[in-house]
Amino acid sequence: MSGSEFSLTTFAANGKLLQIEYALNRVAEGRPALGIKAKNGVVLATEKKVTSPLVDESTIKKIENLSSGVGMVYAGMPPDYRVLVSRGRKQAQQYYTMYREQIPTSQIVREQAAVMQEFTQSGGVRPFGVSLMIAGYDDSGPQLFQVDPSGSYFGWKASAIGKNHVNAKTFLEKRYNEDIELEDAIHTAILTLKEGFEEAITADNIEIGIIGEDRIFRILTPAEVQDYLGEVE
């Protein structure tokens, strides 16, 4: 077994950093999450099934606000995600304190990606075991980005991360169009999650966050999610 399998900062003979590959494998085993950019907003959606019926589902949150106008969801390791949520909120607050306006979506994405990249090039650390979907609405309009453990990031019209992400992306490719409205995007997000569900989809085992032209990112209540589930069935 080569040392490059354990060393983060050593390239393997084929040019790969294997610890990043392993981090991506961890992401691919995580609960599915996805994002869809509509012409008047962005939706994030994720599965949040619990491991035991004794767990209080109301204490589990996978979609979080980084600022009033930016939201984020993940696939992968929850503890790593909490670190990135905390850092992202700190960056957003520092920007607001200095400029008295909300941080642009692309800038907070760059900040998150920079943190993740730093953890691929330093001794004594490991890559973050998460991929992120970040949604926002600013002067550039609705935006959706994906950030991977390597620190690479791209803007997307629609994307999926976590378990069955390949099938989810294929489903999104067939259903997405440039003129999709936010309401239709929410329906498409639910249908995409439903494709990979092994049991009944309910308002308790999925989570949805949206941002529209009001530029306020919010997480839908279980009652709102239930209404949307009724519309797609």
mmCIF file of all heavy atoms in Angstrom, residues 77-124:
data_model
loop_
_atom_site.group_PDB
_atom_site.id
_atom_site.type_symbol
_atom_site.label_atom_id
_atom_site.label_comp_id
_atom_site.label_asym_id
_atom_site.label_seq_id
_atom_site.Cartn_x
_atom_site.Cartn_y
_atom_site.Cartn_z
ATOM 1 N N MET A 77 -20.891 14.393 5.581
ATOM 2 C CA MET A 77 -20.733 14.290 7.032
ATOM 3 C C MET A 77 -21.298 15.519 7.745
ATOM 4 O O MET A 77 -20.792 16.634 7.548
ATOM 5 C CB MET A 77 -19.254 14.118 7.389
ATOM 6 C CG MET A 77 -18.628 12.864 6.832
ATOM 7 S SD MET A 77 -16.874 12.717 7.259
ATOM 8 C CE MET A 77 -16.973 12.515 9.037
ATOM 9 N N PRO A 78 -22.310 15.342 8.601
ATOM 10 C CA PRO A 78 -22.918 16.478 9.296
ATOM 11 C C PRO A 78 -21.942 17.321 10.127
ATOM 12 O O PRO A 78 -22.027 18.554 10.092
ATOM 13 C CB PRO A 78 -23.982 15.816 10.192
ATOM 14 C CG PRO A 78 -24.295 14.527 9.506
ATOM 15 C CD PRO A 78 -23.017 14.078 8.880
ATOM 16 N N PRO A 79 -20.992 16.723 10.876
ATOM 17 C CA PRO A 79 -20.091 17.568 11.677
ATOM 18 C C PRO A 79 -19.228 18.497 10.808
ATOM 19 O O PRO A 79 -18.981 19.654 11.183
ATOM 20 C CB PRO A 79 -19.215 16.555 12.421
ATOM 21 C CG PRO A 79 -20.015 15.290 12.440
ATOM 22 C CD PRO A 79 -20.747 15.282 11.134
ATOM 23 N N ASP A 80 -18.791 18.009 9.653
ATOM 24 C CA ASP A 80 -17.998 18.854 8.750
ATOM 25 C C ASP A 80 -18.847 20.006 8.215
ATOM 26 O O ASP A 80 -18.374 21.131 8.047
ATOM 27 C CB ASP A 80 -17.473 18.023 7.574
ATOM 28 C CG ASP A 80 -16.380 17.045 7.996
ATOM 29 O OD1 ASP A 80 -16.205 16.850 9.217
ATOM 30 O OD2 ASP A 80 -15.720 16.475 7.112
ATOM 31 N N TYR A 81 -20.120 19.710 7.962
ATOM 32 C CA TYR A 81 -21.043 20.725 7.464
ATOM 33 C C TYR A 81 -21.225 21.846 8.482
ATOM 34 O O TYR A 81 -21.244 23.025 8.135
ATOM 35 C CB TYR A 81 -22.384 20.068 7.147
ATOM 36 C CG TYR A 81 -23.464 20.998 6.666
ATOM 37 C CD1 TYR A 81 -23.312 21.744 5.501
ATOM 38 C CD2 TYR A 81 -24.663 21.124 7.370
ATOM 39 C CE1 TYR A 81 -24.332 22.580 5.045
ATOM 40 C CE2 TYR A 81 -25.682 21.947 6.923
ATOM 41 C CZ TYR A 81 -25.503 22.677 5.760
ATOM 42 O OH TYR A 81 -26.502 23.505 5.313
ATOM 43 N N ARG A 82 -21.337 21.487 9.761
ATOM 44 C CA ARG A 82 -21.525 22.497 10.803
ATOM 45 C C ARG A 82 -20.369 23.485 10.836
ATOM 46 O O ARG A 82 -20.559 24.686 11.052
ATOM 47 C CB ARG A 82 -21.679 21.827 12.178
ATOM 48 C CG ARG A 82 -23.003 21.120 12.376
ATOM 49 C CD ARG A 82 -23.310 20.923 13.857
ATOM 50 N NE ARG A 82 -22.247 20.172 14.536
ATOM 51 C CZ ARG A 82 -22.232 18.851 14.643
ATOM 52 N NH1 ARG A 82 -23.203 18.128 14.124
ATOM 53 N NH2 ARG A 82 -21.252 18.247 15.289
ATOM 54 N N VAL A 83 -19.152 22.985 10.615
ATOM 55 C CA VAL A 83 -17.980 23.865 10.588
ATOM 56 C C VAL A 83 -18.101 24.874 9.450
ATOM 57 O O VAL A 83 -17.842 26.073 9.621
ATOM 58 C CB VAL A 83 -16.683 23.034 10.428
ATOM 59 C CG1 VAL A 83 -15.475 23.955 10.212
ATOM 60 C CG2 VAL A 83 -16.462 22.157 11.650
ATOM 61 N N LEU A 84 -18.531 24.413 8.276
ATOM 62 C CA LEU A 84 -18.644 25.289 7.112
ATOM 63 C C LEU A 84 -19.805 26.270 7.259
ATOM 64 O O LEU A 84 -19.719 27.417 6.795
ATOM 65 C CB LEU A 84 -18.794 24.456 5.842
ATOM 66 C CG LEU A 84 -17.538 23.674 5.450
ATOM 67 C CD1 LEU A 84 -17.851 22.646 4.372
ATOM 68 C CD2 LEU A 84 -16.442 24.618 4.973
ATOM 69 N N VAL A 85 -20.893 25.849 7.902
ATOM 70 C CA VAL A 85 -22.005 26.767 8.174
ATOM 71 C C VAL A 85 -21.522 27.902 9.069
ATOM 72 O O VAL A 85 -21.780 29.084 8.812
ATOM 73 C CB VAL A 85 -23.187 26.022 8.839
ATOM 74 C CG1 VAL A 85 -24.211 27.022 9.381
ATOM 75 C CG2 VAL A 85 -23.859 25.099 7.841
ATOM 76 N N SER A 86 -20.786 27.547 10.123
ATOM 77 C CA SER A 86 -20.284 28.551 11.059
ATOM 78 C C SER A 86 -19.337 29.532 10.376
ATOM 79 O O SER A 86 -19.450 30.755 10.548
ATOM 80 C CB SER A 86 -19.565 27.848 12.224
ATOM 81 O OG SER A 86 -19.009 28.786 13.108
ATOM 82 N N ARG A 87 -18.433 29.019 9.557
ATOM 83 C CA ARG A 87 -17.472 29.884 8.860
ATOM 84 C C ARG A 87 -18.179 30.764 7.838
ATOM 85 O O ARG A 87 -17.839 31.935 7.678
ATOM 86 C CB ARG A 87 -16.397 29.033 8.179
ATOM 87 C CG ARG A 87 -15.453 28.356 9.167
ATOM 88 C CD ARG A 87 -14.228 27.806 8.459
ATOM 89 N NE ARG A 87 -13.310 27.174 9.398
ATOM 90 C CZ ARG A 87 -11.995 27.180 9.264
ATOM 91 N NH1 ARG A 87 -11.437 27.797 8.246
ATOM 92 N NH2 ARG A 87 -11.223 26.573 10.145
ATOM 93 N N GLY A 88 -19.152 30.194 7.134
ATOM 94 C CA GLY A 88 -19.880 30.961 6.136
ATOM 95 C C GLY A 88 -20.669 32.100 6.757
ATOM 96 O O GLY A 88 -20.688 33.224 6.234
ATOM 97 N N ARG A 89 -21.318 31.830 7.885
ATOM 98 C CA ARG A 89 -22.079 32.874 8.572
ATOM 99 C C ARG A 89 -21.155 33.987 9.075
ATOM 100 O O ARG A 89 -21.502 35.169 9.024
ATOM 101 C CB ARG A 89 -22.856 32.266 9.736
ATOM 102 C CG ARG A 89 -24.063 31.457 9.284
ATOM 103 C CD ARG A 89 -24.733 30.763 10.445
ATOM 104 N NE ARG A 89 -25.971 30.115 10.006
ATOM 105 C CZ ARG A 89 -26.649 29.253 10.752
ATOM 106 N NH1 ARG A 89 -26.214 28.946 11.966
ATOM 107 N NH2 ARG A 89 -27.760 28.699 10.284
ATOM 108 N N LYS A 90 -19.982 33.600 9.546
ATOM 109 C CA LYS A 90 -19.026 34.597 10.016
ATOM 110 C C LYS A 90 -18.571 35.499 8.872
ATOM 111 O O LYS A 90 -18.492 36.728 9.025
ATOM 112 C CB LYS A 90 -17.822 33.886 10.649
ATOM 113 C CG LYS A 90 -16.820 34.823 11.288
ATOM 114 C CD LYS A 90 -15.707 34.042 11.984
ATOM 115 C CE LYS A 90 -14.705 34.992 12.634
ATOM 116 N NZ LYS A 90 -13.617 34.244 13.311
ATOM 117 N N GLN A 91 -18.297 34.896 7.708
ATOM 118 C CA GLN A 91 -17.901 35.689 6.542
ATOM 119 C C GLN A 91 -19.017 36.636 6.112
ATOM 120 O O GLN A 91 -18.772 37.802 5.784
ATOM 121 C CB GLN A 91 -17.539 34.758 5.375
ATOM 122 C CG GLN A 91 -16.241 33.984 5.544
ATOM 123 C CD GLN A 91 -15.007 34.871 5.404
ATOM 124 O OE1 GLN A 91 -15.098 35.997 4.938
ATOM 125 N NE2 GLN A 91 -13.873 34.351 5.818
ATOM 126 N N ALA A 92 -20.252 36.134 6.111
ATOM 127 C CA ALA A 92 -21.391 36.960 5.706
ATOM 128 C C ALA A 92 -21.577 38.139 6.661
ATOM 129 O O ALA A 92 -21.860 39.267 6.240
ATOM 130 C CB ALA A 92 -22.660 36.109 5.657
ATOM 131 N N GLN A 93 -21.385 37.885 7.963
ATOM 132 C CA GLN A 93 -21.561 38.948 8.950
ATOM 133 C C GLN A 93 -20.441 39.985 8.861
ATOM 134 O O GLN A 93 -20.678 41.190 8.990
ATOM 135 C CB GLN A 93 -21.606 38.344 10.358
ATOM 136 C CG GLN A 93 -21.988 39.346 11.441
ATOM 137 C CD GLN A 93 -23.352 39.964 11.187
ATOM 138 O OE1 GLN A 93 -24.317 39.266 10.901
ATOM 139 N NE2 GLN A 93 -23.449 41.279 11.276
ATOM 140 N N GLN A 94 -19.213 39.511 8.620
ATOM 141 C CA GLN A 94 -18.088 40.441 8.467
ATOM 142 C C GLN A 94 -18.301 41.357 7.263
ATOM 143 O O GLN A 94 -18.011 42.559 7.318
ATOM 144 C CB GLN A 94 -16.780 39.661 8.312
ATOM 145 C CG GLN A 94 -16.284 39.034 9.604
ATOM 146 C CD GLN A 94 -15.051 38.162 9.400
ATOM 147 O OE1 GLN A 94 -14.746 37.735 8.280
ATOM 148 N NE2 GLN A 94 -14.340 37.893 10.474
ATOM 149 N N TYR A 95 -18.809 40.788 6.167
ATOM 150 C CA TYR A 95 -19.081 41.584 4.965
ATOM 151 C C TYR A 95 -20.149 42.634 5.259
ATOM 152 O O TYR A 95 -20.007 43.805 4.888
ATOM 153 C CB TYR A 95 -19.526 40.668 3.827
ATOM 154 C CG TYR A 95 -19.685 41.372 2.495
ATOM 155 C CD1 TYR A 95 -18.638 41.384 1.571
ATOM 156 C CD2 TYR A 95 -20.867 42.028 2.161
ATOM 157 C CE1 TYR A 95 -18.769 42.039 0.355
ATOM 158 C CE2 TYR A 95 -21.011 42.674 0.951
ATOM 159 C CZ TYR A 95 -19.959 42.672 0.043
ATOM 160 O OH TYR A 95 -20.108 43.330 -1.163
ATOM 161 N N TYR A 96 -21.209 42.213 5.957
ATOM 162 C CA TYR A 96 -22.294 43.147 6.266
ATOM 163 C C TYR A 96 -21.814 44.265 7.201
ATOM 164 O O TYR A 96 -22.182 45.425 7.041
ATOM 165 C CB TYR A 96 -23.470 42.409 6.908
ATOM 166 C CG TYR A 96 -24.638 43.319 7.200
ATOM 167 C CD1 TYR A 96 -25.521 43.689 6.191
ATOM 168 C CD2 TYR A 96 -24.837 43.831 8.489
ATOM 169 C CE1 TYR A 96 -26.580 44.546 6.450
ATOM 170 C CE2 TYR A 96 -25.895 44.687 8.747
ATOM 171 C CZ TYR A 96 -26.760 45.043 7.730
ATOM 172 O OH TYR A 96 -27.797 45.907 7.991
ATOM 173 N N THR A 97 -20.980 43.902 8.182
ATOM 174 C CA THR A 97 -20.451 44.887 9.121
ATOM 175 C C THR A 97 -19.615 45.947 8.402
ATOM 176 O O THR A 97 -19.669 47.134 8.730
ATOM 177 C CB THR A 97 -19.589 44.191 10.197
ATOM 178 O OG1 THR A 97 -20.394 43.232 10.887
ATOM 179 C CG2 THR A 97 -19.033 45.205 11.201
ATOM 180 N N MET A 98 -18.873 45.519 7.389
ATOM 181 C CA MET A 98 -17.995 46.442 6.674
ATOM 182 C C MET A 98 -18.742 47.282 5.634
ATOM 183 O O MET A 98 -18.518 48.492 5.513
ATOM 184 C CB MET A 98 -16.871 45.657 5.980
ATOM 185 C CG MET A 98 -15.855 46.538 5.259
ATOM 186 S SD MET A 98 -14.423 45.595 4.658
ATOM 187 C CE MET A 98 -13.644 45.159 6.228
ATOM 188 N N TYR A 99 -19.653 46.659 4.876
ATOM 189 C CA TYR A 99 -20.272 47.347 3.732
ATOM 190 C C TYR A 99 -21.749 47.692 3.929
ATOM 191 O O TYR A 99 -22.340 48.366 3.093
ATOM 192 C CB TYR A 99 -20.119 46.490 2.473
ATOM 193 C CG TYR A 99 -18.690 46.215 2.113
ATOM 194 C CD1 TYR A 99 -18.141 44.944 2.285
ATOM 195 C CD2 TYR A 99 -17.864 47.219 1.603
ATOM 196 C CE1 TYR A 99 -16.821 44.677 1.961
ATOM 197 C CE2 TYR A 99 -16.541 46.962 1.275
ATOM 198 C CZ TYR A 99 -16.025 45.690 1.454
ATOM 199 O OH TYR A 99 -14.718 45.438 1.133
ATOM 200 N N ARG A 100 -22.359 47.181 5.016
ATOM 201 C CA ARG A 100 -23.775 47.431 5.291
ATOM 202 C C ARG A 100 -24.687 46.982 4.152
ATOM 203 O O ARG A 100 -25.684 47.621 3.837
ATOM 204 C CB ARG A 100 -24.011 48.923 5.591
ATOM 205 C CG ARG A 100 -23.437 49.363 6.921
ATOM 206 C CD ARG A 100 -24.133 48.630 8.054
ATOM 207 N NE ARG A 100 -23.350 48.720 9.308
ATOM 208 C CZ ARG A 100 -23.692 48.108 10.426
ATOM 209 N NH1 ARG A 100 -24.754 47.321 10.450
ATOM 210 N NH2 ARG A 100 -22.967 48.220 11.503
ATOM 211 N N GLU A 101 -24.335 45.883 3.528
ATOM 212 C CA GLU A 101 -25.204 45.230 2.550
ATOM 213 C C GLU A 101 -24.902 43.743 2.568
ATOM 214 O O GLU A 101 -23.852 43.313 3.067
ATOM 215 C CB GLU A 101 -25.008 45.817 1.152
ATOM 216 C CG GLU A 101 -23.614 45.674 0.593
ATOM 217 C CD GLU A 101 -23.475 46.331 -0.777
ATOM 218 O OE1 GLU A 101 -24.057 47.400 -0.997
ATOM 219 O OE2 GLU A 101 -22.753 45.756 -1.618
ATOM 220 N N GLN A 102 -25.832 42.961 2.021
ATOM 221 C CA GLN A 102 -25.680 41.510 2.058
ATOM 222 C C GLN A 102 -24.557 41.055 1.132
ATOM 223 O O GLN A 102 -24.358 41.610 0.048
ATOM 224 C CB GLN A 102 -26.995 40.820 1.670
ATOM 225 C CG GLN A 102 -28.142 41.089 2.634
ATOM 226 C CD GLN A 102 -27.867 40.590 4.035
ATOM 227 O OE1 GLN A 102 -27.191 39.582 4.233
ATOM 228 N NE2 GLN A 102 -28.397 41.295 5.022
ATOM 229 N N ILE A 103 -23.843 40.032 1.554
ATOM 230 C CA ILE A 103 -22.736 39.509 0.758
ATOM 231 C C ILE A 103 -23.258 38.887 -0.543
ATOM 232 O O ILE A 103 -24.265 38.170 -0.531
ATOM 233 C CB ILE A 103 -21.932 38.472 1.586
ATOM 234 C CG1 ILE A 103 -20.645 38.055 0.851
ATOM 235 C CG2 ILE A 103 -22.784 37.252 1.921
ATOM 236 C CD1 ILE A 103 -19.689 37.263 1.728
ATOM 237 N N PRO A 104 -22.611 39.182 -1.693
ATOM 238 C CA PRO A 104 -23.032 38.548 -2.955
ATOM 239 C C PRO A 104 -22.867 37.025 -2.881
ATOM 240 O O PRO A 104 -21.945 36.521 -2.233
ATOM 241 C CB PRO A 104 -22.078 39.154 -3.990
ATOM 242 C CG PRO A 104 -21.584 40.423 -3.370
ATOM 243 C CD PRO A 104 -21.534 40.161 -1.898
ATOM 244 N N THR A 105 -23.746 36.314 -3.544
ATOM 245 C CA THR A 105 -23.714 34.850 -3.502
ATOM 246 C C THR A 105 -22.376 34.298 -3.978
ATOM 247 O O THR A 105 -21.784 33.425 -3.340
ATOM 248 C CB THR A 105 -24.845 34.261 -4.371
ATOM 249 O OG1 THR A 105 -26.080 34.860 -4.008
ATOM 250 C CG2 THR A 105 -24.942 32.759 -4.186
ATOM 251 N N SER A 106 -21.876 34.823 -5.094
ATOM 252 C CA SER A 106 -20.627 34.301 -5.653
ATOM 253 C C SER A 106 -19.453 34.502 -4.704
ATOM 254 O O SER A 106 -18.532 33.678 -4.660
ATOM 255 C CB SER A 106 -20.324 34.974 -6.996
ATOM 256 O OG SER A 106 -20.204 36.380 -6.838
ATOM 257 N N GLN A 107 -19.486 35.569 -3.918
ATOM 258 C CA GLN A 107 -18.372 35.822 -2.999
ATOM 259 C C GLN A 107 -18.370 34.852 -1.830
ATOM 260 O O GLN A 107 -17.318 34.339 -1.444
ATOM 261 C CB GLN A 107 -18.410 37.261 -2.476
ATOM 262 C CG GLN A 107 -17.233 37.580 -1.557
ATOM 263 C CD GLN A 107 -16.984 39.052 -1.400
ATOM 264 O OE1 GLN A 107 -17.383 39.863 -2.238
ATOM 265 N NE2 GLN A 107 -16.312 39.429 -0.330
ATOM 266 N N ILE A 108 -19.546 34.573 -1.275
ATOM 267 C CA ILE A 108 -19.580 33.634 -0.157
ATOM 268 C C ILE A 108 -19.258 32.219 -0.642
ATOM 269 O O ILE A 108 -18.668 31.420 0.092
ATOM 270 C CB ILE A 108 -20.935 33.689 0.579
ATOM 271 C CG1 ILE A 108 -20.772 33.128 1.993
ATOM 272 C CG2 ILE A 108 -22.040 32.953 -0.165
ATOM 273 C CD1 ILE A 108 -21.929 33.424 2.917
ATOM 274 N N VAL A 109 -19.595 31.911 -1.894
ATOM 275 C CA VAL A 109 -19.206 30.624 -2.480
ATOM 276 C C VAL A 109 -17.685 30.536 -2.577
ATOM 277 O O VAL A 109 -17.080 29.515 -2.218
ATOM 278 C CB VAL A 109 -19.849 30.440 -3.875
ATOM 279 C CG1 VAL A 109 -19.230 29.244 -4.597
ATOM 280 C CG2 VAL A 109 -21.350 30.243 -3.746
ATOM 281 N N ARG A 110 -17.046 31.606 -3.050
ATOM 282 C CA ARG A 110 -15.575 31.617 -3.148
ATOM 283 C C ARG A 110 -14.926 31.443 -1.777
ATOM 284 O O ARG A 110 -13.920 30.742 -1.638
ATOM 285 C CB ARG A 110 -15.096 32.925 -3.787
ATOM 286 C CG ARG A 110 -15.312 33.011 -5.272
ATOM 287 C CD ARG A 110 -14.470 34.114 -5.898
ATOM 288 N NE ARG A 110 -14.773 35.419 -5.330
ATOM 289 C CZ ARG A 110 -15.723 36.232 -5.800
ATOM 290 N NH1 ARG A 110 -16.478 35.855 -6.822
ATOM 291 N NH2 ARG A 110 -15.930 37.416 -5.241
ATOM 292 N N GLU A 111 -15.508 32.082 -0.770
ATOM 293 C CA GLU A 111 -14.956 31.967 0.585
ATOM 294 C C GLU A 111 -15.060 30.530 1.091
ATOM 295 O O GLU A 111 -14.113 29.995 1.678
ATOM 296 C CB GLU A 111 -15.693 32.912 1.537
ATOM 297 C CG GLU A 111 -15.561 34.388 1.209
ATOM 298 C CD GLU A 111 -14.190 34.953 1.511
ATOM 299 O OE1 GLU A 111 -13.354 34.240 2.105
ATOM 300 O OE2 GLU A 111 -13.938 36.121 1.157
ATOM 301 N N GLN A 112 -16.204 29.890 0.883
ATOM 302 C CA GLN A 112 -16.381 28.503 1.314
ATOM 303 C C GLN A 112 -15.426 27.576 0.554
ATOM 304 O O GLN A 112 -14.819 26.683 1.134
ATOM 305 C CB GLN A 112 -17.833 28.056 1.101
ATOM 306 C CG GLN A 112 -18.853 28.765 1.966
ATOM 307 C CD GLN A 112 -18.788 28.359 3.428
ATOM 308 O OE1 GLN A 112 -17.846 28.696 4.130
ATOM 309 N NE2 GLN A 112 -19.784 27.641 3.877
ATOM 310 N N ALA A 113 -15.316 27.796 -0.752
ATOM 311 C CA ALA A 113 -14.428 26.965 -1.573
ATOM 312 C C ALA A 113 -12.977 27.138 -1.143
ATOM 313 O O ALA A 113 -12.194 26.182 -1.157
ATOM 314 C CB ALA A 113 -14.601 27.322 -3.046
ATOM 315 N N ALA A 114 -12.588 28.355 -0.757
ATOM 316 C CA ALA A 114 -11.206 28.612 -0.337
ATOM 317 C C ALA A 114 -10.878 27.851 0.940
ATOM 318 O O ALA A 114 -9.772 27.299 1.088
ATOM 319 C CB ALA A 114 -10.999 30.113 -0.135
ATOM 320 N N VAL A 115 -11.834 27.804 1.864
ATOM 321 C CA VAL A 115 -11.630 27.045 3.103
ATOM 322 C C VAL A 115 -11.453 25.561 2.779
ATOM 323 O O VAL A 115 -10.540 24.898 3.286
ATOM 324 C CB VAL A 115 -12.822 27.236 4.065
ATOM 325 C CG1 VAL A 115 -12.728 26.272 5.251
ATOM 326 C CG2 VAL A 115 -12.874 28.671 4.563
ATOM 327 N N MET A 116 -12.313 25.038 1.911
ATOM 328 C CA MET A 116 -12.250 23.615 1.572
ATOM 329 C C MET A 116 -10.958 23.282 0.830
ATOM 330 O O MET A 116 -10.356 22.225 1.043
ATOM 331 C CB MET A 116 -13.480 23.220 0.762
ATOM 332 C CG MET A 116 -14.770 23.342 1.577
ATOM 333 S SD MET A 116 -16.288 23.075 0.642
ATOM 334 C CE MET A 116 -16.344 21.292 0.558
ATOM 335 N N GLN A 117 -10.510 24.191 -0.040
ATOM 336 C CA GLN A 117 -9.258 23.956 -0.769
ATOM 337 C C GLN A 117 -8.064 23.960 0.177
ATOM 338 O O GLN A 117 -7.138 23.162 0.035
ATOM 339 C CB GLN A 117 -9.079 25.021 -1.853
ATOM 340 C CG GLN A 117 -7.976 24.711 -2.864
ATOM 341 C CD GLN A 117 -6.576 25.021 -2.359
ATOM 342 O OE1 GLN A 117 -6.399 25.941 -1.558
ATOM 343 N NE2 GLN A 117 -5.584 24.271 -2.821
ATOM 344 N N GLU A 118 -8.080 24.844 1.161
ATOM 345 C CA GLU A 118 -6.981 24.933 2.121
ATOM 346 C C GLU A 118 -6.782 23.612 2.851
ATOM 347 O O GLU A 118 -5.658 23.224 3.174
ATOM 348 C CB GLU A 118 -7.279 26.057 3.119
ATOM 349 C CG GLU A 118 -6.163 26.319 4.104
ATOM 350 C CD GLU A 118 -6.516 27.414 5.090
ATOM 351 O OE1 GLU A 118 -7.439 28.202 4.805
ATOM 352 O OE2 GLU A 118 -5.878 27.489 6.158
ATOM 353 N N PHE A 119 -7.886 22.900 3.067
ATOM 354 C CA PHE A 119 -7.814 21.623 3.773
ATOM 355 C C PHE A 119 -7.387 20.473 2.854
ATOM 356 O O PHE A 119 -7.423 19.323 3.266
ATOM 357 C CB PHE A 119 -9.160 21.315 4.433
ATOM 358 C CG PHE A 119 -9.327 21.966 5.782
ATOM 359 C CD1 PHE A 119 -9.409 23.343 5.894
ATOM 360 C CD2 PHE A 119 -9.387 21.206 6.930
ATOM 361 C CE1 PHE A 119 -9.560 23.951 7.125
ATOM 362 C CE2 PHE A 119 -9.537 21.798 8.174
ATOM 363 C CZ PHE A 119 -9.620 23.186 8.274
ATOM 364 N N THR A 120 -7.021 20.776 1.628
ATOM 365 C CA THR A 120 -6.454 19.753 0.738
ATOM 366 C C THR A 120 -4.950 19.948 0.553
ATOM 367 O O THR A 120 -4.313 19.165 -0.139
ATOM 368 C CB THR A 120 -7.107 19.799 -0.661
ATOM 369 O OG1 THR A 120 -6.679 20.988 -1.349
ATOM 370 C CG2 THR A 120 -8.609 19.776 -0.572
ATOM 371 N N GLN A 121 -4.396 20.994 1.150
ATOM 372 C CA GLN A 121 -3.005 21.356 0.873
ATOM 373 C C GLN A 121 -2.213 21.624 2.149
ATOM 374 O O GLN A 121 -1.148 22.220 2.104
ATOM 375 C CB GLN A 121 -2.976 22.608 -0.023
ATOM 376 C CG GLN A 121 -1.783 22.683 -0.936
ATOM 377 C CD GLN A 121 -1.905 23.823 -1.932
ATOM 378 O OE1 GLN A 121 -2.868 24.577 -1.935
ATOM 379 N NE2 GLN A 121 -0.900 23.968 -2.780
ATOM 380 N N SER A 122 -2.756 21.183 3.275
ATOM 381 C CA SER A 122 -2.109 21.435 4.555
ATOM 382 C C SER A 122 -1.849 20.116 5.271
ATOM 383 O O SER A 122 -2.638 19.179 5.182
ATOM 384 C CB SER A 122 -3.003 22.313 5.443
ATOM 385 O OG SER A 122 -3.362 23.499 4.778
ATOM 386 N N GLY A 123 -0.727 20.044 5.992
ATOM 387 C CA GLY A 123 -0.422 18.853 6.758
ATOM 388 C C GLY A 123 -1.258 18.784 8.023
ATOM 389 O O GLY A 123 -1.659 19.803 8.577
ATOM 390 N N GLY A 124 -1.543 17.574 8.489
ATOM 391 C CA GLY A 124 -2.248 17.396 9.744
ATOM 392 C C GLY A 124 -3.746 17.602 9.677
ATOM 393 O O GLY A 124 -4.407 17.653 10.721
#
